[in-house]
Coordinates of all heavy atoms in Angstrom, one line a residue:
M359 N 71.6 150.8 60.4 CA 71.5 149.6 61.2 C 72.8 149.4 62.0 O 72.7 149.0 63.1 CB 71.4 148.4 60.2 CG 71.4 147.1 60.8 SD 69.8 147.0 61.6 CE 69.9 145.3 62.1
L360 N 73.9 149.7 61.4 CA 75.2 149.6 62.1 C 75.3 150.6 63.3 O 75.8 150.4 64.3 CB 76.3 149.9 61.2 CG 77.7 149.6 61.7 CD1 77.8 148.2 62.1 CD2 78.8 149.9 60.6
Q361 N 74.7 151.8 63.1 CA 74.7 152.8 64.2 C 73.8 152.4 65.4 O 74.1 152.6 66.5 CB 74.1 154.2 63.6 CG 75.1 154.9 62.7 CD 74.4 156.1 62.1 OE1 73.2 156.3 62.1 NE2 75.3 157.0 61.6
K362 N 72.7 151.7 65.1 CA 71.8 151.2 66.2 C 72.5 150.1 66.9 O 72.5 150.1 68.2 CB 70.5 150.6 65.6 CG 69.6 151.7 65.1 CD 68.3 151.1 64.6 CE 67.4 152.1 64.1 NZ 66.1 151.5 63.6
L363 N 73.3 149.2 66.2 CA 74.0 148.2 66.9 C 75.1 148.8 67.8 O 75.4 148.4 68.9 CB 74.7 147.2 65.8 CG 75.4 146.1 66.4 CD1 74.6 145.2 67.2 CD2 76.1 145.3 65.3
F364 N 75.9 149.8 67.2 CA 76.9 150.5 68.0 C 76.3 151.1 69.2 O 76.9 151.1 70.3 CB 77.6 151.5 67.1 CG 78.6 152.3 67.8 CD1 79.8 151.7 68.1 CD2 78.4 153.7 68.2 CE1 80.8 152.5 68.8 CE2 79.3 154.4 68.9 CZ 80.5 153.8 69.1
L365 N 75.1 151.8 69.0 CA 74.5 152.5 70.2 C 74.1 151.4 71.3 O 74.3 151.7 72.5 CB 73.3 153.3 69.7 CG 72.5 154.0 70.8 CD1 73.4 155.1 71.5 CD2 71.3 154.6 70.3
I366 N 73.6 150.3 70.9 CA 73.2 149.3 71.8 C 74.4 148.7 72.6 O 74.3 148.6 73.8 CB 72.4 148.1 71.1 CG1 71.0 148.6 70.6 CG2 72.2 147.0 72.1 CD1 70.3 147.7 69.8
V367 N 75.4 148.5 71.9 CA 76.7 148.0 72.5 C 77.3 149.0 73.4 O 77.7 148.7 74.5 CB 77.7 147.6 71.4 CG1 79.1 147.2 72.1 CG2 77.2 146.4 70.7
F368 N 77.3 150.3 73.0 CA 77.8 151.3 73.8 C 77.0 151.5 75.1 O 77.5 151.6 76.2 CB 77.7 152.6 73.1 CG 78.2 153.8 73.8 CD1 79.6 154.0 74.1 CD2 77.3 154.8 74.3 CE1 80.1 155.1 74.8 CE2 77.8 155.9 75.1 CZ 79.2 156.0 75.3
V369 N 75.7 151.5 75.0 CA 74.8 151.6 76.2 C 75.0 150.4 77.1 O 75.1 150.5 78.3 CB 73.3 151.7 75.8 CG1 72.4 151.6 77.1 CG2 73.1 153.1 75.2
F370 N 75.1 149.2 76.6 CA 75.4 148.0 77.4 C 76.7 148.1 78.2 O 76.8 147.8 79.3 CB 75.4 146.8 76.5 CG 75.7 145.5 77.2 CD1 74.8 144.9 78.1 CD2 77.0 144.9 77.1 CE1 75.1 143.8 78.8 CE2 77.3 143.8 77.8 CZ 76.4 143.2 78.7
M371 N 77.8 148.6 77.5 CA 79.0 148.7 78.1 C 79.0 149.8 79.2 O 79.6 149.6 80.3 CB 80.1 149.1 77.1 CG 80.4 148.0 76.2 SD 81.6 148.4 74.8 CE 83.0 148.9 75.7
I372 N 78.3 150.9 79.0 CA 78.2 151.9 80.0 C 77.4 151.4 81.3 O 77.9 151.6 82.4 CB 77.5 153.2 79.6 CG1 78.3 153.8 78.5 CG2 77.2 154.2 80.6 CD1 79.7 154.4 78.9
T373 N 76.3 150.7 81.1 CA 75.6 150.2 82.2 C 76.3 149.0 82.9 O 76.2 148.9 84.1 CB 74.2 149.7 81.8 OG1 74.3 148.7 80.8 CG2 73.3 150.8 81.3
A374 N 77.1 148.3 82.3 CA 77.9 147.3 82.9 C 79.0 147.9 83.8 O 79.4 147.2 84.8 CB 78.6 146.4 81.8
C375 N 79.5 149.0 83.5 CA 80.5 149.7 84.3 C 80.0 150.4 85.6 O 80.8 150.7 86.4 CB 81.3 150.7 83.5 SG 82.2 149.9 82.1
V376 N 78.7 150.6 85.7 CA 78.1 151.2 86.8 C 78.2 150.3 88.0 O 77.7 149.2 87.9 CB 76.7 151.7 86.6 CG1 76.1 152.3 87.8 CG2 76.7 152.7 85.4
S377 N 78.9 150.7 89.0 CA 79.0 149.7 90.2 C 77.8 150.0 91.1 O 77.2 151.0 91.2 CB 80.3 150.0 91.0 OG 80.2 151.4 91.6
E378 N 77.4 148.8 91.7 CA 76.3 148.9 92.7 C 76.8 149.4 94.0 O 77.9 149.3 94.4 CB 75.7 147.4 92.9 CG 75.1 146.9 91.7 CD 74.4 145.5 92.1 OE1 74.1 145.3 93.2 OE2 74.2 144.8 91.1
P379 N 75.9 150.1 94.7 CA 76.3 150.6 96.0 C 76.7 149.5 97.0 O 76.1 148.4 96.9 CB 75.1 151.4 96.5 CG 73.9 150.9 95.7 CD 74.5 150.4 94.5
Q380 N 77.7 149.8 97.8 CA 78.2 148.8 98.7 C 77.2 148.6 99.8 O 76.6 149.5 100.3 CB 79.5 149.2 99.3 CG 80.7 149.1 98.3 CD 82.0 149.4 99.0 OE1 82.0 149.8 100.2 NE2 83.1 149.3 98.3
K381 N 76.9 147.3 100.1 CA 76.0 146.9 101.1 C 76.7 146.8 102.4 O 77.8 146.1 102.4 CB 75.3 145.6 100.8 CG 74.4 145.7 99.5 CD 73.8 144.4 99.2 CE 73.0 144.5 97.9 NZ 72.5 143.2 97.4
T382 N 76.2 147.3 103.5 CA 76.9 147.2 104.8 C 76.3 145.9 105.4 O 75.2 145.6 105.4 CB 76.6 148.3 105.7 OG1 75.2 148.5 105.9 CG2 77.2 149.6 105.1
V383 N 77.3 145.1 105.9 CA 76.9 143.9 106.6 C 77.0 144.0 108.1 O 78.0 144.4 108.6 CB 77.9 142.7 106.1 CG1 77.6 141.4 106.8 CG2 77.9 142.5 104.6
A384 N 75.8 143.8 108.7 CA 75.8 144.0 110.2 C 76.5 142.8 110.8 O 76.3 141.7 110.4 CB 74.4 144.1 110.6
K385 N 77.2 143.1 111.9 CA 77.8 142.0 112.7 C 76.8 141.3 113.4 O 75.8 141.9 113.9 CB 78.8 142.6 113.6 CG 80.1 143.0 113.0 CD 81.1 143.5 114.0 CE 82.4 144.0 113.4 NZ 83.3 144.4 114.4
P386 N 76.9 139.9 113.5 CA 75.9 139.3 114.4 C 76.0 139.7 115.9 O 77.1 140.3 116.2 CB 76.3 137.8 114.3 CG 77.3 137.7 113.2 CD 77.9 139.1 113.0
E387 N 74.9 139.6 116.6 CA 74.9 140.1 118.0 C 75.8 139.2 118.8 O 75.9 138.0 118.6 CB 73.5 140.0 118.5 CG 72.7 141.2 118.1 CD 71.4 141.3 119.0 OE1 71.5 141.1 120.2 OE2 70.4 141.6 118.4
A388 N 76.4 139.8 119.8 CA 77.3 139.1 120.7 C 76.5 138.3 121.8 O 75.4 138.7 122.2 CB 78.2 140.1 121.4
I389 N 76.9 137.1 122.0 CA 76.3 136.3 123.0 C 77.2 136.2 124.2 O 78.4 135.9 124.1 CB 76.1 134.8 122.4 CG1 75.3 135.0 121.2 CG2 75.5 133.9 123.4 CD1 75.2 133.6 120.3
Q390 N 76.7 136.4 125.4 CA 77.4 136.5 126.6 C 77.8 134.9 127.0 O 76.9 134.1 126.8 CB 76.7 137.1 127.8 CG 76.4 138.5 127.5 CD 77.6 139.4 127.5 OE1 78.5 139.2 128.3 NE2 77.6 140.3 126.6
C391 N 78.9 134.7 127.5 CA 79.3 133.4 128.0 C 78.5 133.2 129.3 O 78.3 134.1 130.1 CB 80.8 133.3 128.3 SG 81.8 133.2 126.7
P392 N 78.1 131.9 129.6 CA 77.4 131.6 130.8 C 78.3 131.7 132.0 O 79.6 131.6 131.9 CB 76.9 130.2 130.6 CG 77.8 129.6 129.6 CD 78.2 130.8 128.7
E393 N 77.8 131.8 133.2 CA 78.6 131.9 134.4 C 79.2 130.5 134.7 O 80.4 130.5 135.0 CB 77.7 132.3 135.6 CG 77.4 133.8 135.6 CD 76.8 134.3 136.9 OE1 77.1 133.7 138.0 OE2 75.9 135.1 136.8
Q394 N 78.5 129.4 134.4 CA 79.0 128.1 134.6 C 79.7 127.7 133.2 O 79.1 127.5 132.2 CB 77.9 127.1 134.9 CG 77.4 127.2 136.3 CD 78.4 126.6 137.3 OE1 79.4 125.9 136.9 NE2 78.3 127.0 138.5
R395 N 81.0 127.7 133.2 CA 81.8 127.4 132.0 C 82.2 126.0 132.0 O 82.8 125.4 133.0 CB 82.9 128.4 131.8 CG 82.5 129.8 131.7 CD 83.7 130.7 131.6 NE 83.2 132.1 131.7 CZ 83.5 133.0 130.8 NH1 84.3 132.7 129.8 NH2 83.1 134.3 130.8
S396 N 82.1 125.3 130.8 CA 82.4 123.9 130.7 C 84.0 123.7 130.5 O 84.5 124.4 129.6 CB 81.6 123.2 129.6 OG 82.1 121.9 129.4
P397 N 84.6 122.9 131.2 CA 86.0 122.6 131.0 C 86.3 121.7 129.8 O 87.3 121.6 129.3 CB 86.6 122.1 132.3 CG 85.4 121.4 132.9 CD 84.2 122.2 132.4
L398 N 85.2 121.0 129.4 CA 85.3 120.0 128.3 C 84.5 120.4 127.1 O 83.3 120.8 127.3 CB 84.8 118.6 128.8 CG 85.6 118.0 130.0 CD1 84.9 116.8 130.5 CD2 87.0 117.8 129.6
C399 N 85.0 120.4 125.9 CA 84.3 120.8 124.7 C 84.5 119.8 123.6 O 85.5 119.1 123.6 CB 84.8 122.2 124.3 SG 84.6 123.5 125.4
T400 N 83.6 119.7 122.7 CA 83.7 118.9 121.5 C 84.7 119.6 120.6 O 85.0 120.8 120.7 CB 82.4 118.8 120.8 OG1 81.9 120.0 120.4 CG2 81.4 118.0 121.7
R401 N 85.2 118.9 119.6 CA 86.2 119.5 118.6 C 85.6 119.8 117.3 O 86.3 119.8 116.3 CB 87.3 118.5 118.5 CG 88.1 118.3 119.8 CD 89.3 117.5 119.6 NE 90.1 118.0 118.5 CZ 91.4 118.3 118.6 NH1 92.0 118.3 119.8 NH2 92.0 118.8 117.6
E402 N 84.3 120.2 117.3 CA 83.7 120.6 116.1 C 84.2 122.0 115.7 O 84.6 122.7 116.6 CB 82.1 120.6 116.2 CG 81.7 121.7 117.3 CD 80.2 121.6 117.5 OE1 79.5 121.0 116.7 OE2 79.8 122.1 118.5
Y403 N 84.3 122.2 114.4 CA 84.7 123.5 114.0 C 83.7 124.4 113.5 O 83.1 124.3 112.3 CB 85.8 123.4 112.9 CG 86.4 124.7 112.4 CD1 87.3 125.4 113.3 CD2 86.1 125.3 111.2 CE1 87.8 126.6 112.9 CE2 86.7 126.4 110.9 CZ 87.6 127.1 111.7 OH 88.1 128.4 111.3
L404 N 83.2 125.3 114.3 CA 82.2 126.3 114.0 C 82.7 127.6 114.5 O 82.4 128.0 115.7 CB 80.8 126.0 114.7 CG 80.2 124.7 114.2 CD1 78.9 124.4 115.1 CD2 79.7 124.9 112.7
P405 N 83.6 128.3 113.8 CA 84.4 129.4 114.4 C 83.6 130.5 114.9 O 82.5 130.9 114.4 CB 85.3 129.9 113.2 CG 84.5 129.4 111.9 CD 83.8 128.1 112.4
V406 N 84.0 131.1 116.0 CA 83.4 132.3 116.6 C 84.4 133.3 116.9 O 85.6 133.0 117.0 CB 82.7 131.9 118.0 CG1 81.5 130.9 117.8 CG2 83.6 131.3 119.0
C407 N 84.0 134.5 116.9 CA 85.0 135.7 117.2 C 84.6 136.1 118.6 O 83.5 136.5 118.9 CB 84.7 136.8 116.2 SG 85.8 138.3 116.5
A408 N 85.6 135.9 119.5 CA 85.4 136.1 121.0 C 86.0 137.4 121.4 O 87.1 137.8 120.8 CB 85.9 135.0 121.8
T409 N 85.4 138.1 122.3 CA 85.9 139.3 122.9 C 86.5 139.0 124.2 O 85.9 138.4 125.1 CB 84.8 140.4 123.1 OG1 84.2 140.7 121.8 CG2 85.4 141.7 123.7
R410 N 87.8 139.2 124.3 CA 88.6 138.8 125.5 C 89.0 140.1 126.3 O 89.4 141.0 125.7 CB 89.9 138.1 125.1 CG 89.7 136.8 124.4 CD 91.0 136.1 124.1 NE 91.7 135.9 125.3 CZ 93.1 135.7 125.4 NH1 93.8 135.8 124.3 NH2 93.7 135.6 126.5
D411 N 88.9 140.0 127.6 CA 89.5 141.0 128.4 C 91.0 140.9 128.5 O 91.6 139.9 128.8 CB 88.9 140.8 129.8 CG 89.4 141.9 130.8 OD1 90.1 142.8 130.4 OD2 89.0 141.8 132.0
T412 N 91.7 142.0 128.1 CA 93.2 141.9 128.1 C 93.8 142.1 129.5 O 95.0 141.8 129.7 CB 93.8 143.0 127.2 OG1 93.4 144.3 127.7 CG2 93.3 142.8 125.7
G413 N 93.0 142.5 130.5 CA 93.5 142.8 131.8 C 94.2 144.2 131.9 O 94.7 144.5 132.9
I414 N 94.3 144.9 130.8 CA 94.9 146.2 130.8 C 94.0 147.2 131.3 O 92.8 147.4 130.9 CB 95.4 146.6 129.4 CG1 96.4 145.7 128.8 CG2 96.0 148.0 129.4 CD1 96.8 145.9 127.4
R415 N 94.4 148.0 132.3 CA 93.6 149.1 132.9 C 94.5 150.3 132.9 O 95.6 150.3 133.5 CB 93.1 148.8 134.3 CG 92.2 147.6 134.4 CD 91.0 147.6 133.6 NE 90.1 146.4 133.7 CZ 90.1 145.5 132.8 NH1 90.8 145.6 131.7 NH2 89.3 144.4 133.0
C416 N 94.1 151.4 132.3 CA 94.9 152.6 132.3 C 94.1 153.8 132.4 O 92.8 153.8 132.3 CB 95.8 152.7 131.1 SG 94.9 152.7 129.5
I417 N 94.7 154.9 132.6 CA 94.0 156.2 132.7 C 93.9 157.0 131.4 O 92.8 157.6 131.2 CB 94.7 157.1 133.8 CG1 94.7 156.3 135.1 CG2 94.1 158.4 134.0 CD1 95.6 157.0 136.2
T418 N 94.8 156.9 130.6 CA 94.8 157.6 129.3 C 94.3 156.7 128.2 O 94.4 155.5 128.2 CB 96.2 158.2 129.0 OG1 97.1 157.1 128.8 CG2 96.7 159.2 130.1
A419 N 93.8 157.4 127.1 CA 93.4 156.6 125.9 C 94.4 156.8 124.8 O 95.1 157.8 124.8 CB 92.0 157.2 125.5
P420 N 94.4 156.0 123.8 CA 93.7 154.7 123.7 C 94.3 153.7 124.5 O 95.6 153.6 124.8 CB 93.9 154.4 122.2 CG 95.2 154.9 121.9 CD 95.3 156.2 122.7
C421 N 93.5 152.8 125.1 CA 93.9 151.8 126.0 C 93.0 150.5 125.7 O 91.9 150.5 126.1 CB 93.6 152.2 127.4 SG 94.3 151.1 128.6
P422 N 93.6 149.6 125.0 CA 92.8 148.4 124.6 C 92.5 147.4 125.7 O 93.4 146.6 126.1 CB 93.7 147.7 123.6 CG 95.1 148.1 123.9 CD 95.0 149.4 124.5
S423 N 91.4 147.6 126.4 CA 91.1 146.7 127.5 C 90.4 145.4 127.0 O 90.2 144.5 127.8 CB 90.1 147.5 128.4 OG 88.9 147.8 127.7
S424 N 90.1 145.3 125.8 CA 89.6 144.0 125.2 C 90.2 143.8 123.8 O 90.7 144.8 123.1 CB 88.1 144.0 125.1 OG 87.7 145.0 124.2
E425 N 90.1 142.6 123.3 CA 90.7 142.2 122.0 C 89.7 141.2 121.4 O 89.1 140.5 122.2 CB 92.1 141.7 122.1 CG 92.2 140.4 122.9 CD 93.7 140.0 123.0 OE1 94.6 140.5 122.4 OE2 93.9 138.9 123.6
E426 N 89.8 141.0 120.1 CA 89.1 139.9 119.5 C 90.0 138.8 119.1 O 91.1 139.0 118.6 CB 88.3 140.5 118.3 CG 87.2 141.4 118.6 CD 86.3 141.8 117.4 OE1 86.8 141.8 116.3 OE2 85.2 142.1 117.6
K427 N 89.5 137.6 119.3 CA 90.3 136.3 118.9 C 89.3 135.3 118.4 O 88.2 135.1 118.9 CB 91.0 135.8 120.2 CG 91.9 134.6 119.8 CD 92.6 134.1 121.0 CE 93.3 132.8 120.7 NZ 93.9 132.2 121.9
T428 N 89.7 134.6 117.3 CA 89.0 133.5 116.8 C 89.2 132.2 117.5 O 90.3 131.8 117.8 CB 89.3 133.3 115.3 OG1 89.0 134.5 114.6 CG2 88.4 132.2 114.7
Y429 N 88.1 131.6 117.9 CA 88.1 130.2 118.5 C 87.4 129.2 117.6 O 86.5 129.6 116.8 CB 87.4 130.3 119.9 CG 88.3 131.0 121.0 CD1 88.2 132.3 121.1 CD2 89.0 130.2 121.8 CE1 88.9 133.0 122.1 CE2 89.8 130.9 122.8 CZ 89.8 132.3 123.0 OH 90.4 132.9 123.9
G430 N 87.7 127.9 117.9 CA 87.1 126.9 117.0 C 85.6 126.7 117.2 O 84.9 126.4 116.2
N431 N 85.1 127.0 118.4 CA 83.6 126.9 118.6 C 83.3 127.7 119.8 O 84.2 128.2 120.6 CB 83.2 125.5 118.7 CG 83.8 124.7 119.8 OD1 84.0 125.2 120.8 ND2 84.2 123.4 119.4
A432 N 82.1 127.9 120.1 CA 81.6 128.7 121.2 C 82.0 128.1 122.6 O 82.4 128.8 123.5 CB 80.1 128.8 121.2
C433 N 82.0 126.8 122.7 CA 82.4 126.2 124.0 C 83.9 126.4 124.3 O 84.3 126.7 125.4 CB 82.1 124.6 123.9 SG 82.5 123.7 125.4
S434 N 84.7 126.2 123.3 CA 86.1 126.5 123.5 C 86.5 127.9 123.8 O 87.3 128.3 124.6 CB 87.0 126.0 122.4 OG 86.7 126.7 121.2
A435 N 85.6 128.9 123.2 CA 85.8 130.3 123.5 C 85.4 130.6 125.0 O 86.1 131.2 125.7 CB 84.9 131.1 122.6
C436 N 84.3 130.1 125.4 CA 83.8 130.4 126.8 C 84.6 129.5 127.8 O 84.5 129.9 129.0 CB 82.3 130.0 126.9 SG 81.4 131.3 126.1
S437 N 85.3 128.5 127.4 CA 86.1 127.8 128.4 C 87.4 128.7 128.8 O 88.0 128.4 129.9 CB 86.6 126.5 127.9 OG 87.5 126.6 126.8
D438 N 87.7 129.7 128.0 CA 88.8 130.6 128.4 C 88.2 131.7 129.3 O 87.2 132.4 129.0 CB 89.3 131.4 127.1 CG 90.4 132.3 127.4 OD1 90.7 132.7 128.5 OD2 90.9 132.8 126.4
P439 N 88.7 131.7 130.5 CA 88.1 132.6 131.6 C 88.2 134.2 131.2 O 87.4 134.9 131.7 CB 88.8 132.3 132.8 CG 90.0 131.6 132.4 CD 89.8 131.0 131.1
K440 N 89.0 134.5 130.3 CA 89.2 135.9 129.9 C 88.1 136.3 128.9 O 87.9 137.5 128.6 CB 90.5 136.2 129.3 CG 91.6 136.0 130.3 CD 92.9 136.4 129.7 CE 94.1 136.3 130.8 NZ 95.4 136.7 130.2
V441 N 87.4 135.4 128.3 CA 86.4 135.7 127.2 C 85.1 136.2 127.9 O 84.6 135.6 128.8 CB 86.1 134.5 126.3 CG1 84.9 134.7 125.3 CG2 87.3 134.1 125.5
I442 N 84.6 137.3 127.3 CA 83.4 138.0 127.8 C 82.2 137.5 127.1 O 81.2 137.2 127.6 CB 83.6 139.5 127.8 CG1 84.8 139.9 128.5 CG2 82.3 140.2 128.2 CD1 85.3 141.3 128.3
S443 N 82.3 137.5 125.7 CA 81.3 137.2 124.8 C 81.8 136.8 123.5 O 83.0 136.8 123.2 CB 80.3 138.4 124.6 OG 81.1 139.5 124.0
Y444 N 80.9 136.3 122.6 CA 81.4 135.8 121.3 C 80.2 136.0 120.3 O 79.0 136.3 120.7 CB 81.7 134.3 121.3 CG 80.6 133.4 121.6 CD1 79.8 132.8 120.6 CD2 80.3 133.1 122.9 CE1 78.7 132.1 120.9 CE2 79.2 132.3 123.2 CZ 78.5 131.8 122.2 OH 77.4 131.0 122.5
R445 N 80.6 136.0 119.0 CA 79.6 136.1 117.9 C 80.0 135.0 116.9 O 81.2 134.7 116.8 CB 79.5 137.4 117.4 CG 80.8 138.1 116.8 CD 80.5 139.5 116.4 NE 81.8 140.2 116.2 CZ 82.6 140.0 115.2 NH1 82.3 139.2 114.2 NH2 83.7 140.7 115.1
S446 N 79.1 134.6 116.1 CA 79.4 133.5 115.1 C 80.3 134.1 114.0 O 80.3 135.3 113.6 CB 78.1 133.0 114.5 OG 77.5 134.0 113.8
G447 N 81.1 133.2 113.5 CA 82.1 133.6 112.4 C 83.5 134.0 113.0 O 83.6 134.4 114.1
A448 N 84.5 133.8 112.1 CA 85.8 134.2 112.5 C 86.0 135.7 112.5 O 85.1 136.4 111.9 CB 86.8 133.6 111.5
C449 N 86.9 136.2 113.4 CA 87.2 137.6 113.5 C 87.7 138.1 112.1 O 88.4 137.4 111.4 CB 88.2 137.8 114.6 SG 87.6 137.3 116.2
E450 N 87.4 139.3 111.8 CA 87.8 139.9 110.5 C 89.3 140.0 110.3 O 89.8 139.7 109.3 CB 87.3 141.4 110.5 CG 85.7 141.5 110.3 CD 85.2 142.9 110.3 OE1 86.0 143.8 110.0 OE2 84.1 143.1 110.5
Q451 N 90.0 140.3 111.4 CA 91.5 140.4 111.3 C 92.1 139.0 111.0 O 93.1 138.8 110.3 CB 92.2 141.0 112.5 CG 92.2 140.2 113.7 CD 91.0 140.5 114.6 OE1 90.0 141.1 114.1 NE2 91.1 140.0 115.8
D452 N 91.4 137.9 111.5 CA 91.9 136.6 111.2 C 91.5 136.1 109.8 O 92.2 135.3 109.2 CB 91.4 135.6 112.3 CG 92.0 135.9 113.6 OD1 93.0 136.5 113.7 OD2 91.3 135.5 114.6
V453 N 90.4 136.5 109.3 CA 90.0 136.1 107.9 C 90.9 136.8 106.9 O 91.2 136.1 105.9 CB 88.5 136.7 107.7 CG1 88.1 136.5 106.2 CG2 87.5 135.9 108.6
D454 N 91.4 138.0 107.2 CA 92.3 138.7 106.3 C 93.6 137.9 106.2 O 94.3 138.1 105.2 CB 92.6 140.1 106.7 CG 91.3 141.0 106.5 OD1 90.3 140.5 105.7 OD2 91.1 142.0 107.2
K455 N 94.0 137.2 107.2 CA 95.4 136.5 107.3 C 95.4 135.2 106.5 O 96.4 134.6 106.3 CB 95.7 136.3 108.7 CG 96.0 137.6 109.5 CD 96.4 137.2 110.9 CE 96.6 138.4 111.8 NZ 96.9 138.1 113.2
K456 N 94.2 134.7 106.2 CA 94.1 133.4 105.5 C 94.9 133.4 104.2 O 94.9 134.4 103.4 CB 92.6 133.0 105.2 CG 91.9 132.4 106.3 CD 90.6 131.9 105.8 CE 89.9 131.2 106.9 NZ 88.6 130.7 106.4
P457 N 95.7 132.4 103.9 CA 96.4 132.3 102.7 C 95.4 132.1 101.5 O 94.4 131.4 101.6 CB 97.3 131.1 102.8 CG 96.7 130.2 103.9 CD 96.0 131.2 104.8
K458 N 95.8 132.7 100.4 CA 94.9 132.7 99.2 C 95.4 131.8 98.2 O 96.5 131.4 98.0 CB 94.6 134.1 98.7 CG 94.0 134.9 99.7 CD 93.7 136.3 99.1 CE 93.1 137.1 100.2 NZ 92.9 138.5 99.9

């Protein structure tokens, strides 16, 4: 009886240690900013990760011609003339910087 109990506990411990495969999370699709950009925006907080043109043009690589920056909402992102597109949610590098 004790051996069966030991075997059950041992099997339970082994199966509990098996990690599940990591799931890849797809990034939301980028949304292009409209040609007519609003200079006035509401102050709601629905963070977006915007892709900005850095203005850097070079011949050799690597050359970061764009960067990602978190904005408070889509309107405020598109009010920046350097923003090309945005996707919902904060940028990964900004999420990592949050205090814990």
Side-chain angles (χ1 to χ4, degrees):
M359 181 70 174
L360 190 57
Q361 289 177 338
K362 288 182 182 178
L363 182 61
F364 177 73
L365 181 62
I366 291 170
V367 170
F368 179 74
V369 169
F370 177 74
M371 290 176 60
I372 294 296
T373 57
C375 293
V376 175
S377 64
E378 291 188 22
Q380 291 184 353
K381 297 176 184 175
T382 57
V383 178
K385 288 184 179 179
E387 278 194 43
I389 300 168
Q390 299 294 320
C391 287
E393 286 189 35
Q394 287 287 342
R395 297 176 186 233
S396 175
L398 302 173
C399 298
T400 61
R401 294 189 50 123
E402 64 187 342
Y403 184 69
L404 295 170
V406 296
C407 181
T409 302
R410 296 180 59 200
D411 182 3
T412 60
I414 299 172
R415 303 295 181 260
C416 61
I417 299 170
T418 60
C421 185
S423 61
S424 66
E425 65 182 356
E426 289 187 334
K427 180 181 176 189
T428 299
Y429 286 85
N431 58 43
C433 180
S434 62
C436 287
S437 67
D438 181 348
K440 292 182 179 181
V441 171
I442 302 163
S443 63
Y444 65 91
R445 58 183 164 76
S446 62
C449 300
E450 291 178 19
Q451 70 270 15
D452 294 336
V453 171
D454 295 338
K455 292 179 185 177
K456 277 188 174 180
K458 295 181 182 176

